[in-house]
Amino acid sequence: MFKIRFFFIINFAFFLMINSSCSKDIDEIIDTVVVQENDSVPDVVPKNAKDSLGIISYIELPPESTNGFGVEDLDVEIATWFGFKRSSVTHTWDDSNYNQINIAIPLYDSFNLKTTLFSLPNKIKYWEPYKKAYDNGHEVASHSLNHLNFEKITSSQIENELKESKNEINEKMQTVNCLTFAYPYCGSEAYGLTEKYYIAARSCKNSIQSNKPSDYYDLGGVLCGETTQYFLGEQLNDLAQKSIDSNGWAIYLFHNIDIEGGFSVNSQELKKHLTYLNQNIDIYWVATFLDVVKYIKEREAVSIKVKNQTSNLIEISITDNLDDSIYNHPITVKKKIPSETIDSSLVVKQSNVGLDYGIAKLGDSKFVIFNVIPDTGTVSISF
Protein backbone atom coordinates (compact mmCIF):
# COMPACT_ATOMS: atom_id res chain seq x y z
CA MET A 1 0.00 0.00 0.00
CA PHE A 2 1.25 3.50 -0.83
CA LYS A 3 2.18 5.32 2.36
CA ILE A 4 2.35 8.98 3.31
CA ARG A 5 5.13 10.01 5.63
CA PHE A 6 4.67 12.63 8.27
CA PHE A 7 7.63 14.03 10.16
CA PHE A 8 7.09 16.11 13.23
CA ILE A 9 8.84 16.97 16.46
CA ILE A 10 7.35 15.32 19.50
CA ASN A 11 7.87 17.24 22.66
CA PHE A 12 4.71 15.91 24.21
CA ALA A 13 4.34 16.37 27.94
CA PHE A 14 2.40 13.39 29.15
CA PHE A 15 -0.06 14.98 31.57
CA LEU A 16 0.63 11.91 33.66
CA MET A 17 2.85 9.96 35.98
CA ILE A 18 3.32 6.33 34.99
CA ASN A 19 0.93 4.03 36.91
CA SER A 20 -0.67 7.06 38.53
CA SER A 21 -3.69 9.21 37.89
CA CYS A 22 -1.80 12.33 38.97
CA SER A 23 -1.30 15.15 36.47
CA LYS A 24 1.02 18.14 36.36
CA ASP A 25 1.24 21.50 34.64
CA ILE A 26 3.31 21.64 31.49
CA ASP A 27 4.80 24.40 29.35
CA GLU A 28 3.19 25.20 26.04
CA ILE A 29 5.54 24.32 23.21
CA ILE A 30 4.92 24.56 19.48
CA ASP A 31 7.01 22.35 17.21
CA THR A 32 6.40 22.97 13.54
CA VAL A 33 7.47 20.72 10.70
CA VAL A 34 6.80 21.45 7.06
CA VAL A 35 6.42 18.13 5.22
CA GLN A 36 6.92 17.75 1.50
CA GLU A 37 5.04 15.13 -0.51
CA ASN A 38 8.29 13.32 -1.26
CA ASP A 39 11.01 11.78 0.89
CA SER A 40 12.99 14.99 1.36
CA VAL A 41 14.05 15.99 4.85
CA PRO A 42 11.43 18.32 6.39
CA ASP A 43 12.20 21.87 7.41
CA VAL A 44 12.04 22.25 11.18
CA VAL A 45 11.07 25.63 12.57
CA PRO A 46 11.28 25.60 16.39
CA LYS A 47 9.65 28.43 18.30
CA ASN A 48 12.56 28.86 20.68
CA ALA A 49 15.77 27.22 21.78
CA LYS A 50 14.26 24.70 24.17
CA ASP A 51 12.20 23.23 21.35
CA SER A 52 15.42 21.84 19.89
CA LEU A 53 15.30 19.27 22.70
CA GLY A 54 12.32 17.66 20.96
CA ILE A 55 12.62 14.28 19.25
CA ILE A 56 12.20 14.15 15.50
CA SER A 57 9.63 11.41 15.03
CA TYR A 58 8.74 9.37 11.96
CA ILE A 59 5.07 8.67 11.31
CA GLU A 60 3.81 6.42 8.56
CA LEU A 61 0.08 6.50 7.89
CA PRO A 62 -2.18 5.19 5.13
CA PRO A 63 -3.01 7.79 2.46
CA GLU A 64 -6.61 7.94 3.63
CA SER A 65 -5.23 8.92 7.04
CA THR A 66 -7.48 6.61 9.01
CA ASN A 67 -5.29 4.93 11.56
CA GLY A 68 -7.69 5.66 14.36
CA PHE A 69 -10.45 4.18 16.45
CA GLY A 70 -13.66 5.48 17.99
CA VAL A 71 -13.75 8.38 15.53
CA GLU A 72 -16.89 10.52 15.29
CA ASP A 73 -15.37 13.31 13.21
CA LEU A 74 -13.57 12.54 9.95
CA ASP A 75 -10.94 15.17 10.71
CA VAL A 76 -10.04 13.53 14.04
CA GLU A 77 -7.79 10.51 14.35
CA ILE A 78 -6.63 8.43 17.31
CA ALA A 79 -3.21 6.84 16.99
CA THR A 80 -3.02 3.07 16.96
CA TRP A 81 -0.03 3.38 19.30
CA PHE A 82 1.01 6.15 21.64
CA GLY A 83 2.82 8.94 19.83
CA PHE A 84 1.87 7.46 16.42
CA LYS A 85 4.62 4.88 16.83
CA ARG A 86 4.56 2.07 14.30
CA SER A 87 4.41 -0.77 16.82
CA SER A 88 4.56 -1.48 20.53
CA VAL A 89 7.28 -3.40 22.40
CA THR A 90 7.01 -4.79 25.94
CA HIS A 91 9.64 -6.78 27.83
CA THR A 92 8.30 -9.03 30.57
CA TRP A 93 10.24 -11.01 33.19
CA ASP A 94 8.86 -14.04 35.06
CA ASP A 95 9.67 -15.84 38.30
CA SER A 96 11.33 -13.10 40.41
CA ASN A 97 14.88 -14.25 39.77
CA TYR A 98 17.19 -11.85 41.56
CA ASN A 99 19.37 -11.02 38.55
CA GLN A 100 16.34 -9.32 37.04
CA ILE A 101 16.59 -6.69 39.76
CA ASN A 102 20.36 -6.80 40.11
CA ILE A 103 21.34 -6.70 36.42
CA ALA A 104 18.37 -6.17 34.10
CA ILE A 105 16.64 -3.23 35.80
CA PRO A 106 19.82 -1.08 35.89
CA LEU A 107 20.23 -1.76 32.17
CA TYR A 108 16.72 -0.54 31.44
CA ASP A 109 17.26 2.48 33.66
CA SER A 110 20.40 3.42 31.75
CA PHE A 111 18.25 3.75 28.60
CA ASN A 112 15.22 5.18 30.43
CA LEU A 113 13.12 2.27 29.13
CA LYS A 114 10.49 0.54 31.27
CA THR A 115 9.76 -3.16 31.70
CA THR A 116 7.32 -5.47 33.52
CA LEU A 117 8.28 -7.83 36.34
CA PHE A 118 5.72 -10.63 36.70
CA SER A 119 6.50 -11.48 40.28
CA LEU A 120 6.10 -14.34 42.77
CA PRO A 121 5.54 -12.76 46.22
CA ASN A 122 6.37 -15.94 48.15
CA LYS A 123 9.76 -16.07 46.45
CA ILE A 124 10.78 -12.47 47.14
CA LYS A 125 12.76 -11.95 50.34
CA TYR A 126 13.69 -8.31 49.90
CA TRP A 127 11.08 -6.00 48.49
CA GLU A 128 13.05 -2.74 48.60
CA PRO A 129 14.59 -3.14 45.11
CA TYR A 130 11.15 -3.93 43.66
CA LYS A 131 9.65 -0.84 45.27
CA LYS A 132 12.50 1.25 43.89
CA ALA A 133 11.95 -0.18 40.41
CA TYR A 134 8.21 0.46 40.68
CA ASP A 135 8.77 4.05 41.80
CA ASN A 136 10.99 4.51 38.75
CA GLY A 137 8.19 3.54 36.35
CA HIS A 138 8.61 -0.22 35.98
CA GLU A 139 5.58 -2.44 36.44
CA VAL A 140 5.50 -4.96 39.29
CA ALA A 141 2.72 -7.37 38.35
CA SER A 142 1.62 -10.85 39.41
CA HIS A 143 2.82 -14.28 38.32
CA SER A 144 0.77 -15.95 41.10
CA LEU A 145 1.75 -16.62 44.69
CA ASN A 146 3.54 -19.98 44.47
CA HIS A 147 3.88 -20.70 40.74
CA LEU A 148 1.43 -23.60 40.76
CA ASN A 149 0.18 -25.07 37.52
CA PHE A 150 -3.39 -23.83 37.13
CA GLU A 151 -4.28 -26.87 35.06
CA LYS A 152 -3.51 -29.15 38.01
CA ILE A 153 -5.12 -27.38 40.97
CA THR A 154 -8.69 -26.62 42.07
CA SER A 155 -10.62 -23.45 41.35
CA SER A 156 -10.36 -22.36 44.99
CA GLN A 157 -6.58 -22.78 44.89
CA ILE A 158 -6.42 -20.80 41.66
CA GLU A 159 -8.44 -17.98 43.17
CA ASN A 160 -6.18 -17.90 46.19
CA GLU A 161 -3.12 -17.64 43.94
CA LEU A 162 -4.70 -14.81 41.97
CA LYS A 163 -6.08 -12.85 44.89
CA GLU A 164 -3.33 -13.17 47.47
CA SER A 165 -0.49 -12.42 45.06
CA LYS A 166 -2.27 -9.24 43.99
CA ASN A 167 -2.87 -8.21 47.61
CA GLU A 168 0.72 -8.87 48.60
CA ILE A 169 2.18 -6.90 45.69
CA ASN A 170 -0.16 -3.97 46.26
CA GLU A 171 0.79 -3.91 49.93
CA LYS A 172 4.52 -3.98 49.24
CA MET A 173 4.30 -1.40 46.43
CA GLN A 174 1.93 0.73 48.53
CA THR A 175 -0.45 1.03 45.62
CA VAL A 176 -3.48 -0.52 43.91
CA ASN A 177 -1.81 -0.89 40.53
CA CYS A 178 -1.19 -4.64 40.43
CA LEU A 179 -3.60 -5.06 37.55
CA THR A 180 -2.03 -7.58 35.17
CA PHE A 181 -1.12 -11.25 35.46
CA ALA A 182 1.09 -13.85 33.76
CA TYR A 183 -0.01 -17.49 33.94
CA PRO A 184 2.45 -19.93 35.56
CA TYR A 185 3.64 -22.50 33.02
CA CYS A 186 1.75 -20.46 30.42
CA GLY A 187 -1.42 -22.38 31.24
CA SER A 188 -4.61 -20.38 31.72
CA GLU A 189 -7.60 -21.28 33.87
CA ALA A 190 -11.08 -22.34 32.80
CA TYR A 191 -13.10 -20.71 35.59
CA GLY A 192 -13.08 -17.05 34.57
CA LEU A 193 -11.39 -16.11 37.82
CA THR A 194 -8.50 -14.08 36.45
CA GLU A 195 -10.78 -11.30 35.27
CA LYS A 196 -12.12 -10.88 38.81
CA TYR A 197 -8.77 -9.48 39.90
CA TYR A 198 -6.91 -8.29 36.79
CA ILE A 199 -7.64 -6.30 33.64
CA ALA A 200 -5.43 -8.48 31.40
CA ALA A 201 -3.17 -11.54 31.43
CA ARG A 202 -0.19 -12.71 29.41
CA SER A 203 0.00 -16.20 27.96
CA CYS A 204 2.59 -17.70 25.58
CA LYS A 205 1.85 -17.84 21.85
CA ASN A 206 5.26 -17.13 20.32
CA SER A 207 3.73 -14.72 17.84
CA ILE A 208 3.20 -10.98 17.48
CA GLN A 209 0.10 -9.82 19.33
CA SER A 210 -2.54 -7.97 17.31
CA ASN A 211 -3.16 -4.31 18.06
CA LYS A 212 -6.84 -5.25 18.50
CA PRO A 213 -6.81 -8.24 20.88
CA SER A 214 -9.72 -10.62 20.78
CA ASP A 215 -9.06 -11.78 24.36
CA TYR A 216 -7.32 -9.62 26.96
CA TYR A 217 -6.77 -12.72 29.11
CA ASP A 218 -4.80 -14.48 26.40
CA LEU A 219 -2.24 -11.89 25.30
CA GLY A 220 0.53 -13.93 23.78
CA GLY A 221 4.16 -13.53 24.78
CA VAL A 222 7.18 -14.72 22.79
CA LEU A 223 9.69 -16.91 24.64
CA CYS A 224 13.15 -15.35 24.51
CA GLY A 225 16.63 -16.27 25.73
CA GLU A 226 18.68 -19.44 25.51
CA THR A 227 16.98 -22.49 23.94
CA THR A 228 14.79 -20.14 21.83
CA GLN A 229 15.30 -18.44 18.47
CA TYR A 230 15.56 -15.06 20.20
CA PHE A 231 18.64 -14.85 22.41
CA LEU A 232 21.15 -12.70 20.51
CA GLY A 233 20.79 -8.95 20.20
CA GLU A 234 20.18 -9.13 16.46
CA GLN A 235 17.49 -11.77 16.95
CA LEU A 236 15.77 -9.69 19.63
CA ASN A 237 15.87 -6.75 17.23
CA ASP A 238 14.36 -8.92 14.53
CA LEU A 239 11.38 -9.71 16.75
CA ALA A 240 10.73 -5.99 17.20
CA GLN A 241 11.01 -5.47 13.46
CA LYS A 242 8.42 -8.17 12.83
CA SER A 243 5.90 -6.20 14.87
CA ILE A 244 6.10 -3.29 12.43
CA ASP A 245 4.59 -5.24 9.52
CA SER A 246 1.24 -5.59 11.29
CA ASN A 247 1.49 -2.50 13.50
CA GLY A 248 1.40 -5.12 16.25
CA TRP A 249 2.65 -5.63 19.78
CA ALA A 250 5.83 -7.63 20.48
CA ILE A 251 5.65 -9.07 24.01
CA TYR A 252 8.99 -10.54 25.05
CA LEU A 253 9.10 -13.22 27.75
CA PHE A 254 12.38 -13.55 29.68
CA HIS A 255 13.12 -15.58 32.80
CA ASN A 256 16.66 -14.68 33.78
CA ILE A 257 19.80 -12.86 32.78
CA ASP A 258 23.47 -13.87 32.83
CA ILE A 259 22.98 -17.46 33.93
CA GLU A 260 22.99 -20.70 31.99
CA GLY A 261 19.64 -22.23 31.23
CA GLY A 262 16.43 -21.81 29.31
CA PHE A 263 14.96 -18.37 28.66
CA SER A 264 18.01 -16.57 30.09
CA VAL A 265 19.54 -13.73 28.11
CA ASN A 266 23.10 -12.47 28.21
CA SER A 267 23.31 -8.90 29.51
CA GLN A 268 25.52 -7.79 26.62
CA GLU A 269 23.01 -9.13 24.10
CA LEU A 270 20.18 -7.41 25.97
CA LYS A 271 22.20 -4.19 25.96
CA LYS A 272 22.60 -4.42 22.17
CA HIS A 273 18.85 -4.82 21.85
CA LEU A 274 18.06 -1.92 24.20
CA THR A 275 20.51 0.23 22.26
CA TYR A 276 18.63 -0.61 19.07
CA LEU A 277 15.25 0.23 20.65
CA ASN A 278 16.62 3.48 22.03
CA GLN A 279 18.03 4.46 18.65
CA ASN A 280 14.65 3.74 17.05
CA ILE A 281 12.42 5.17 19.76
CA ASP A 282 10.62 7.17 17.05
CA ILE A 283 9.37 3.85 15.62
CA TYR A 284 8.72 1.67 18.68
CA TRP A 285 6.58 2.50 21.68
CA VAL A 286 8.49 0.69 24.45
CA ALA A 287 6.17 0.45 27.43
CA THR A 288 5.05 -1.77 30.29
CA PHE A 289 2.44 -4.47 29.77
CA LEU A 290 -0.04 -2.48 31.87
CA ASP A 291 0.39 0.77 29.97
CA VAL A 292 -0.10 -0.90 26.60
CA VAL A 293 -3.25 -2.66 27.82
CA LYS A 294 -4.60 0.64 29.15
CA TYR A 295 -3.89 2.42 25.89
CA ILE A 296 -5.56 -0.25 23.75
CA LYS A 297 -8.68 -0.38 25.91
CA GLU A 298 -8.98 3.40 26.05
CA ARG A 299 -8.41 3.69 22.31
CA GLU A 300 -11.12 1.11 21.65
CA ALA A 301 -13.63 2.68 24.07
CA VAL A 302 -13.05 6.37 23.39
CA SER A 303 -15.66 8.67 21.93
CA ILE A 304 -14.42 11.89 20.35
CA LYS A 305 -16.84 14.62 19.36
CA VAL A 306 -16.20 18.13 18.08
CA LYS A 307 -18.52 20.20 20.27
CA ASN A 308 -17.76 23.59 18.79
CA GLN A 309 -15.74 24.91 15.88
CA THR A 310 -15.40 28.56 14.93
CA SER A 311 -12.92 30.62 12.97
CA ASN A 312 -10.49 30.69 15.91
CA LEU A 313 -11.56 27.94 18.33
CA ILE A 314 -12.17 24.18 18.30
CA GLU A 315 -13.59 22.40 21.35
CA ILE A 316 -13.44 18.61 21.55
CA SER A 317 -15.04 16.17 23.96
CA ILE A 318 -12.90 13.05 24.59
CA THR A 319 -14.63 10.47 26.79
CA ASP A 320 -14.92 6.75 27.40
CA ASN A 321 -16.99 4.44 29.59
CA LEU A 322 -14.03 2.95 31.50
CA ASP A 323 -13.07 3.19 35.16
CA ASP A 324 -11.12 6.45 35.34
CA SER A 325 -9.22 5.33 38.44
CA ILE A 326 -7.60 2.61 36.30
CA TYR A 327 -7.70 3.86 32.73
CA ASN A 328 -5.70 7.06 32.99
CA HIS A 329 -3.07 6.74 30.27
CA PRO A 330 -3.01 9.51 27.64
CA ILE A 331 -4.02 8.64 24.11
CA THR A 332 -2.56 10.41 21.08
CA VAL A 333 -5.00 12.44 18.99
CA LYS A 334 -4.55 14.22 15.65
CA LYS A 335 -6.97 16.99 14.66
CA LYS A 336 -7.09 18.85 11.38
CA ILE A 337 -6.93 22.62 11.81
CA PRO A 338 -7.38 25.46 9.31
CA SER A 339 -4.41 25.62 6.96
CA GLU A 340 -4.15 29.37 7.47
CA THR A 341 -3.59 28.96 11.22
CA ILE A 342 -0.63 30.99 12.45
CA ASP A 343 1.52 28.50 14.31
CA SER A 344 2.69 30.95 16.97
CA SER A 345 -0.91 31.71 17.93
CA LEU A 346 -1.92 28.08 18.51
CA VAL A 347 -2.77 27.05 22.09
CA VAL A 348 -4.02 23.60 23.16
CA LYS A 349 -5.56 23.17 26.62
CA GLN A 350 -7.57 20.64 28.56
CA SER A 351 -9.62 22.09 31.39
CA ASN A 352 -7.46 25.23 31.14
CA VAL A 353 -4.23 23.24 31.56
CA GLY A 354 -1.82 23.67 28.66
CA LEU A 355 -0.94 20.60 26.61
CA ASP A 356 2.26 20.23 24.62
CA TYR A 357 1.65 19.39 21.00
CA GLY A 358 3.15 19.02 17.57
CA ILE A 359 2.08 20.48 14.24
CA ALA A 360 2.29 18.50 11.01
CA LYS A 361 1.77 19.89 7.51
CA LEU A 362 1.13 17.98 4.32
CA GLY A 363 0.43 20.03 1.22
CA ASP A 364 -2.40 22.40 2.08
CA SER A 365 -3.48 20.43 5.16
CA LYS A 366 -2.35 21.13 8.68
CA PHE A 367 -2.80 19.02 11.83
CA VAL A 368 -2.23 19.41 15.54
CA ILE A 369 -1.18 16.28 17.45
CA PHE A 370 -1.45 16.00 21.23
CA ASN A 371 -1.74 13.51 24.11
CA VAL A 372 -4.84 13.60 26.27
CA ILE A 373 -6.40 11.56 29.06
CA PRO A 374 -10.09 10.79 28.36
CA ASP A 375 -12.71 12.05 30.80
CA THR A 376 -10.51 14.83 32.19
CA GLY A 377 -12.24 17.78 30.55
CA THR A 378 -12.86 19.46 27.22
CA VAL A 379 -9.91 20.03 24.93
CA SER A 380 -9.77 23.52 23.44
CA ILE A 381 -7.64 24.42 20.43
CA SER A 382 -7.43 28.16 19.91
CA PHE A 383 -5.66 30.00 17.12
Side-chain angles (χ1 to χ4, degrees):
M1 179 186 297
F2 174 73
K3 304 281 186 177
I4 290 178
R5 292 180 176 179
F6 288 88
F7 288 80
F8 73 107
I9 291 182
I10 293 180
N11 198 358
F12 291 137
F14 288 166
F15 201 74
L16 86 156
M17 294 175 62
I18 297 297
N19 294 326
S20 170
S21 61
C22 297
S23 62
K24 59 180 180 180
D25 294 340
I26 55 180
D27 295 331
E28 297 170 348
I29 299 174
I30 300 179
D31 298 318
T32 303
V33 179
V34 180
V35 182
Q36 307 299 326
E37 291 194 56
N38 53 39
D39 290 343
S40 61
V41 177
D43 298 321
V44 179
V45 188
K47 186 177 69 172
N48 52 43
K50 71 178 179 178
D51 291 352
S52 65
L53 298 176
I55 303 171
I56 296 177
S57 183
Y58 171 74
I59 297 179
E60 188 174 89
L61 300 174
E64 63 270 21
S65 190
T66 53
N67 193 34
F69 301 80
V71 175
E72 293 188 20
D73 184 287
L74 293 179
D75 291 336
V76 180
E77 180 183 1
I78 305 166
T80 300
W81 296 119
F82 185 72
F84 278 104
K85 304 298 176 71
R86 295 168 64 190
S87 71
S88 183
V89 170
T90 295
H91 289 180
T92 67
W93 297 80
D94 289 6
D95 295 354
S96 299
N97 296 310
Y98 186 70
N99 277 2
Q100 297 171 7
I101 286 289
N102 191 37
I103 299 175
I105 290 298
L107 262 179
Y108 286 98
D109 288 342
S110 69
F111 289 95
N112 195 30
L113 298 174
K114 308 307 176 186
T115 189
T116 294
L117 301 172
F118 282 118
S119 306
L120 297 168
N122 278 358
K123 187 177 179 179
I124 299 173
K125 295 181 179 180
Y126 304 104
W127 283 93
E128 291 82 1
Y130 286 85
K131 182 63 164 63
K132 182 179 178 180
Y134 172 81
D135 290 341
N136 196 33
H138 302 287
E139 180 186 6
V140 179
S142 175
H143 192 38
S144 80
L145 197 63
N146 299 293
H147 206 277
L148 302 178
N149 190 332
F150 281 10
E151 296 178 355
K152 298 181 179 180
I153 59 178
T154 66
S155 61
S156 60
Q157 289 175 307
I158 291 173
E159 184 157 18
N160 184 70
E161 291 288 312
L162 293 165
K163 179 181 179 180
E164 295 307 319
S165 59
K166 176 186 178 80
N167 290 342
E168 182 74 6
I169 291 170
N170 278 337
E171 178 184 344
K172 293 298 191 296
M173 296 302 103
Q174 300 174 15
T175 183
V176 292
N177 281 324
C178 182
L179 295 169
T180 66
F181 187 80
Y183 300 108
Y185 302 100
C186 291
S188 60
E189 48 91 11
Y191 304 99
L193 297 169
T194 308
E195 58 196 83
K196 288 181 60 176
Y197 300 100
Y198 303 92
I199 66 171
R202 195 215 65 210
S203 58
C204 311
K205 289 184 176 179
N206 284 325
S207 61
I208 300 298
Q209 175 63 52
S210 166
N211 60 44
K212 296 187 72 172
S214 59
D215 186 350
Y216 286 98
Y217 296 92
D218 188 20
L219 297 172
V222 178
L223 291 167
C224 299
E226 292 184 16
T227 72
T228 80
Q229 61 180 311
Y230 301 110
F231 64 92
L232 298 177
E234 294 80 3
Q235 296 167 331
L236 297 171
N237 296 347
D238 180 63
L239 179 57
Q241 291 162 8
K242 288 180 179 179
S243 68
I244 294 176
D245 296 335
S246 61
N247 300 118
W249 181 14
I251 307 172
Y252 294 65
L253 198 173
F254 299 104
H255 278 70
N256 217 326
I257 183 169
D258 282 351
I259 68 165
E260 293 184 1
F263 317 130
S264 178
V265 64
N266 178 274
S267 58
Q268 292 305 309
E269 298 302 323
L270 179 61
K271 185 176 181 179
K272 292 177 185 177
H273 175 51
L274 295 179
T275 299
Y276 166 79
L277 292 176
N278 189 58
Q279 291 173 341
N280 293 278
I281 203 66
D282 55 334
I283 296 175
Y284 302 110
W285 180 34
V286 183
T288 66
F289 189 80
L290 176 60
D291 279 350
V292 177
V293 168
K294 285 183 179 183
Y295 188 94
I296 296 173
K297 288 194 175 186
E298 289 176 41
R299 183 198 69 195
E300 292 292 300
V302 76
S303 174
I304 297 184
K305 187 172 185 178
V306 177
K307 298 169 58 178
N308 180 40
Q309 184 161 342
T310 68
S311 60
N312 58 6
L313 176 68
I314 301 172
E315 293 181 318
I316 305 175
S317 169
I318 302 178
T319 61
D320 60 39
N321 58 358
L322 303 175
D323 183 345
D324 294 336
S325 67
I326 294 175
Y327 296 97
N328 49 30
H329 197 285
I331 58 174
T332 303
V333 176
K334 176 168 72 74
K335 175 69 178 80
K336 189 174 183 179
I337 56 177
S339 57
E340 65 273 15
T341 299
I342 299 174
D343 299 342
S344 60
S345 69
L346 193 65
V347 177
V348 182
K349 291 185 177 182
Q350 185 180 34
S351 299
N352 291 320
V353 176
L355 301 178
D356 280 357
Y357 53 87
I359 300 174
K361 296 178 181 178
L362 179 65
D364 295 330
S365 297
K366 183 180 287 189
F367 306 89
V368 60
I369 303 172
F370 54 91
N371 296 325
V372 61
I373 302 174
D375 296 324
T376 50
T378 297
V379 174
S380 63
I381 305 168
S382 57
F383 39 87

